[in-house]
Amino acid sequence: MAKALINLKINDIPITVEEGTTILDAAKKLNIKIPTLCDHPDLSVAGNCRVCVVEVKGARYLQAACATPVAEGMEIYTNSQTVRQSRKHVIELLLSEHNADCTSCSRNSKCELQDLAAEYHIFDRVLLDILDPENLIADISSPAIKKDISKCIHCQRCVRTCEELQYVSALAVIGKGAEQHIGTFFDYPLNEVVCTNCGQCVLHCPTGALTERNYVEEVWDAINDPTKHVVVQTAPAVRVAIGEELGFAYGTRVTGKMVTALKRLGFDSVLDTDFTADLTILEEGTELLTRLKRALVDKDPEVKIPMFTSCSPGWIKFMEHLYPEMLGHLSTCKSPQQMFGAVAKTYYAQKKGINSKDMIVVSVMPCTAKKYEAQRPEMRSSGYQDVDYVLTTRELATMIKQAGIDFMSLPESDYDPLMGESSGAGVIFGATGGVMEAALRTAYEIVTGREVPFKNLEITPVRGFDGIKEATIKIEGTKPEWSFLEGVELKVAVAHELANANKLVRAIKEGKLHYHFIEIMTCPGGCLGGGGQPYPVSWEIRQMRAQGIYSEDENLPLRKSHDNPEVMQLYEEYLGQPNSHKAHELLHTHYFPRKKYLN
Amino acid sequence: MQEQNELIKILVEKHGRTRNALMPILQDIVAEKQFLEPSDIALVAEELDLSAADVYGTATFYTFLDTVPRGKNVIRVCKTISCYMSGKDEIINALEKVLNIKVGDTTVDKQFTLLTANCMGWCHKGPVMLINDDVYHSLTPEAAIEIVQQYKEKSKN
């Protein structure tokens, strides 16, 4: 049923919108900007910051535009003297309890509160500063996320993010009145509570209250240390987002320029996580086929089907906390980042004649959870910490700016050899459904000797931003050794955002849904919407990044992981076969049950 | 720990597992043991399928749902204006002296906690104090001490 239409006027301009539209969205249609802080397009309405107040003719008080639906005949003024004064006052009140030491804040020049203070000319602090000095000590217990409540404006975007998108609720509103703050369970440090380190709270925070732990200086130190061979790897989703920080439009593919910039920053070799994404597909695809064989042929009651992907470290920690009894369903494959570190400090070091102890592996990731993952004690297969430092896309952009590199005018260059080659299948790891698509491209071909039956290898049912996607692929014409799969309908599912993942896992646990293979990505849209990606974020922006990822795939000469010659070389010269003993040592891991409510 | 698990299990059976059972469950735990420990909140969260931070947030919103250790008897002296004008400071001084603690503290034997509270609606008969669920009004310092002595006697028996 079509919604009723409502006629109203905003600043004397008539407009007709659907019933239920908020004043804020109606104003957007007229290109009238109403400032907001607590509002975010990914989240439910909160209406608590009051910075979006507008005057509605006939109403006794100003109304919050984000939380007020339009009504027939409404006359709204978004820029009256009362509105301007009130807004200014709201910003002054927020600043009165805000640690406005902007020059020492990592959100300096990228802060929504700072922007508003500048726009509204808050030059004089007319109100008493009531910042509690006790709040000045930030929580840096987590290797991924820094929580500094002296910068918090209580907008609760983080609380809604953690609850609505991620079903984690590590953060909640604690206390009331003057004592109210955003905190954790008993205000324990972040590393002691059920937090997945996904960083969506960081991405959704309007100020510097939640930021990533910054490792830029450590990486500069490594680069400047002549005794160290510093290797850098870049995740698939970084190449379609870092341009946004450096002057390009949302979703622009800047792979070649990024590689040049990394070389100019002084990294000794610039390699690609996409290489180990391809490697992951061979390991994970083989693991899946082995599990299916054990289930279908050997009738092994121990084998766990469905198998879940394991590339997303936020998802891993989510399972360890909330579904410890289901850890056996997770693929034992390490994430591409960790496979990279383990291979770099062994195979690559040997090939290059470098002592592993003199090697530093830096990752550039769209992710904050990768910072945590790199420090997990089991991620030391090389005998050293396999990945030394993890930078977010934002941190790398900072380094490029610090180095005075004019990114836009850079020439393009290619990744260095041995671990720099990748297929389109590796690239699409950056979008939700990408790992599934890459795995199917390879597994189907291993089993049948033919390409997946989709036009141009595009497995469209697993693409797009639906929270949970499903597909069924009938396996026909198998090779003799895979005849047990003849006629099998392979059922797969894909979910992104942990709230969707939770729905899927719960249904599987209760026996309501049955699949063979499931891809889960922690963040909305997959890695392209990761907690380490540039600000701001919305579904429109994620869509543009996804387009960038899929056109990168389309334009690569190699589209399937098993066609990657450097991956094949690694198997021939070092690992043997996928899932070999050596491969297990370096590329696979295990998981640990954690407490559900207390860490 | 075993006892605590049983108490919460009984309360969950009594009040149910929906979100609106949360408040009565928390109130009953406090009625039983005066305050909520992290393990209580974690267990309630698990039973009701809520996040532990969320349950902690709810508990900290309500003054009477304490999340720090409290004595067996919790004394709350009204600090609001009518009781202030009728001499709540003298009452507090007397109680601090007889219990040998300051406001906010708990006695070493864990028998008494002394707190202040907002208006209890007894302005016409101030100063007022609440001990557990019982209101004592028209207090003088002597009367307040006498009442506390009675509680001390009771706990000895």
Side-chain angles (χ1 to χ4, degrees), chain A residues 167-176 184-188 506 596-598, chain B residues 36-38 41-42 45-46 49-54 56-57 60-61 63 67:
Chain A
Y167 189 76
V168 172
S169 287
L171 298 170
V173 181
I174 308 297
K176 69 175 164 201
T184 56
F185 178 59
F186 273 83
D187 285 308
Y188 290 155
R506 194 165 280 198
K596 209 163 178 178
Y597 293 97
L598 275 166
Chain B
L36 297 159
E37 290 180 78
I41 288 188
E46 187 163 3
D49 196 18
L50 297 169
S51 113
D54 196 1
Y56 178 63
T60 54
F61 186 84
T63 315
T67 52

Side-chain angles (χ1 to χ4, degrees), chain A residues 283 286 571-572 574-584:
Chain A
E283 289 296 321
T286 309
Y571 277 114
E572 273 160 36
Y574 198 69
L575 294 172
Q577 297 294 317
N579 291 13
S580 68
H581 182 69
K582 185 100 184 163
H584 263 284

Side-chain angles (χ1 to χ4, degrees), chain B residues 5-119:
Chain B
N5 285 2
E6 270 161 30
L7 170 65
I8 291 170
K9 291 246 153 66
I10 291 165
L11 292 175
V12 169
E13 286 308 311
K14 184 176 162 198
H15 297 292
R17 285 189 159 75
T18 54
R19 171 104 204 189
N20 52 13
L22 178 58
M23 285 301 292
I25 291 172
L26 295 180
Q27 284 169 326
D28 284 0
I29 299 171
V30 171
E32 188 69 28
K33 52 181 281 194
Q34 285 75 44
F35 72 104
L36 297 159
E37 290 180 78
S39 53
D40 296 323
I41 288 188
L43 199 56
V44 171
E46 187 163 3
E47 289 288 340
L48 270 55
D49 196 18
L50 297 169
S51 113
D54 196 1
V55 176
Y56 178 63
T58 303
T60 54
F61 186 84
Y62 296 97
T63 315
F64 280 52
L65 295 179
D66 278 311
T67 52
V68 289
R70 297 296 190 215
K72 191 167 164 243
N73 300 297
V74 181
I75 306 171
R76 298 169 201 268
V77 181
C78 176
K79 65 174 179 186
T80 317
I81 190 154
S82 302
C83 289
Y84 184 35
M85 290 173 70
S86 56
K88 63 100 179 163
D89 280 349
E90 284 74 21
I91 306 299
I92 289 173
N93 288 341
L95 291 174
E96 283 182 338
K97 211 171 236 171
V98 72
L99 294 168
N100 198 22
I101 52 172
K102 294 277 174 204
V103 169
D105 293 346
T106 299
T107 53
V108 181
D109 63 4
K110 305 260 193 309
Q111 288 300 311
F112 292 94
T113 298
L114 180 61
L115 302 172
T116 57
N118 288 316
C119 184

Side-chain angles (χ1 to χ4, degrees), chain A residues 46-238:
Chain A
N48 62 32
C49 79
R50 314 312 287 180
V51 87
C52 71
V53 286
V54 294
E55 206 173 331
V56 178
K57 197 171 172 186
R60 285 179 66 193
Y61 308 112
L62 297 181
Q63 306 288 315
C66 74
T68 311
V70 293
E72 186 62 37
M74 233 182 203
E75 289 180 44
I76 295 157
Y77 295 94
T78 68
N79 188 36
S80 67
Q81 192 61 6
T82 318
V83 167
R84 280 174 26 74
Q85 287 295 343
S86 303
R87 252 180 222 158
K88 190 168 178 177
H89 202 62
V90 166
I91 301 163
E92 282 169 343
L93 281 165
L94 289 172
L95 287 169
S96 72
E97 51 181 344
H98 179 78
N99 174 12
D101 190 2
C102 293
T103 53
S104 69
C105 179
S106 64
R107 283 295 291 269
N108 190 9
S109 82
K110 289 175 202 163
C111 168
E112 295 177 33
L113 181 62
Q114 191 185 41
D115 288 350
L116 275 183
E119 204 170 296
Y120 280 81
H121 280 195
I122 315 291
F123 297 145
D124 305 307
R125 300 291 293 267
V126 291
L127 299 172
L128 198 64
D129 194 334
I130 55 160
L131 172 69
D132 185 346
E134 269 186 34
N135 290 347
L136 287 169
I137 301 158
D139 176 1
I140 52 165
S141 63
S142 155
I145 295 167
K146 175 180 169 183
K147 178 168 166 282
D148 179 354
I149 60 170
S150 73
K151 312 268 175 68
C152 178
I153 58 165
H154 303 199
C155 70
Q156 301 173 22
R157 266 158 55 165
C158 56
V159 175
R160 282 174 284 152
T161 299
C162 202
E163 179 185 348
E164 295 168 15
L165 304 185
Q166 304 297 54
Y167 189 76
V168 172
S169 287
L171 298 170
V173 181
I174 308 297
K176 69 175 164 201
E179 309 277 300
Q180 191 217 62
H181 63 279
I182 306 304
T184 56
F185 178 59
F186 273 83
D187 285 308
Y188 290 155
L190 267 182
N191 70 333
E192 290 180 23
V193 298
V194 181
C195 166
T196 66
N197 302 297
C198 76
Q200 286 298 317
C201 57
V202 171
L203 195 57
H204 287 84
C205 179
T207 70
L210 287 154
T211 51
E212 73 254 68
R213 291 288 307 280
N214 191 303
Y215 296 91
V216 167
E217 288 310 317
E218 285 84 344
V219 172
W220 279 127
D221 286 347
I223 289 174
N224 289 320
D225 184 342
T227 66
K228 299 290 182 197
H229 184 90
V230 187
V231 166
V232 66
Q233 57 166 326
T234 61
V238 177

